Amino acid sequence: MKLTCNFNLDEFKCNCGCDMPAFVEKNIKLLAEDLQVLRDVLNKPIELTNAYRCPEHNTKVGGIKTSQHLSGKAADIQVKGLDPKEVADQVEDLMKSELITKGGVGRYSTFTHVDIRGNNARWNFTNK
C-alpha cells in the first residue's frame, strides 16, 4: 500500500515478517509523511533499515522496552551520499521549523534514528 509518493507500507514492516497491528499502521502513515518531507528537502532516496518492530523482534535486537519502534513511530534511516550526522542535522532543523513532527533523533555511526514521539529526545552513539 502506497503511503506517500515515495514510501509504501511494506518498507515499514517488522524485519521478522510478522503482521503489523492496525494501530501501528496509523502511526506509520504519520511517520511516512514526515520522512517524505525529509526526502523532498534532501532530494535523495531514504533507505529504511528498521521501522516497526514487534515485541519479540525488538527483544531479539536488543531494543529497549519503551522503544518508539514498537508503536510504529520510529525508523532507522540511511541516505546514500550523506553522512548520518548530516541527515540528523537536517531532521533537527525540520523539527525546529515545525515542518515535521517533534520527536527523537538518534545519532549513530551508520544510520540516523528518527521518531515522532511528540517531544524532543536526543542521543548520540556515534563514538561507541
Side-chain angles (χ1 to χ4, degrees):
M1 172 172 54
K2 200 155 184 71
L3 300 173
T4 69
C5 64
N6 294 108
F7 292 102
N8 65 64
L9 185 61
D10 287 342
E11 295 176 85
F12 292 86
K13 289 185 175 179
C14 184
N15 289 339
C16 80
C18 68
D19 290 331
M20 184 184 292
F23 83 92
V24 170
E25 286 188 33
K26 290 179 183 179
N27 293 332
I28 290 293
K29 175 72 173 148
L30 297 172
L31 177 61
E33 290 170 0
D34 280 359
L35 291 176
Q36 185 65 52
V37 172
L38 175 63
R39 188 193 189 287
D40 292 346
V41 167
L42 296 175
N43 198 29
K44 291 179 177 279
I46 294 174
E47 178 186 352
L48 280 65
T49 60
N50 201 326
Y52 168 66
R53 289 188 204 140
C54 68
E56 294 80 14
H57 188 68
N58 189 60
T59 299
K60 183 178 178 183
V61 299
I64 61 172
K65 291 180 181 181
T66 57
S67 173
Q68 297 296 309
H69 289 279
L70 292 166
S71 59
K73 291 184 176 183
D76 298 333
I77 64 172
Q78 296 175 323
V79 179
K80 189 174 184 174
L82 293 180
D83 184 89
K85 180 194 178 318
E86 294 173 284
V87 176
D89 288 347
Q90 186 63 64
V91 171
E92 288 191 9
D93 287 347
L94 290 170
M95 286 180 179
K96 283 178 193 168
S97 64
E98 298 182 359
L99 292 174
I100 64 175
T101 307
K102 254 193 274 188
V105 179
R107 295 167 180 266
Y108 295 83
S109 58
T110 59
F111 66 92
T112 304
H113 169 98
V114 179
D115 72 54
I116 57 168
R117 68 182 67 201
N119 59 299
N120 289 334
R122 303 290 183 267
W123 59 96
N124 186 345
F125 287 113
T126 57
N127 297 326
K128 292 187 177 188

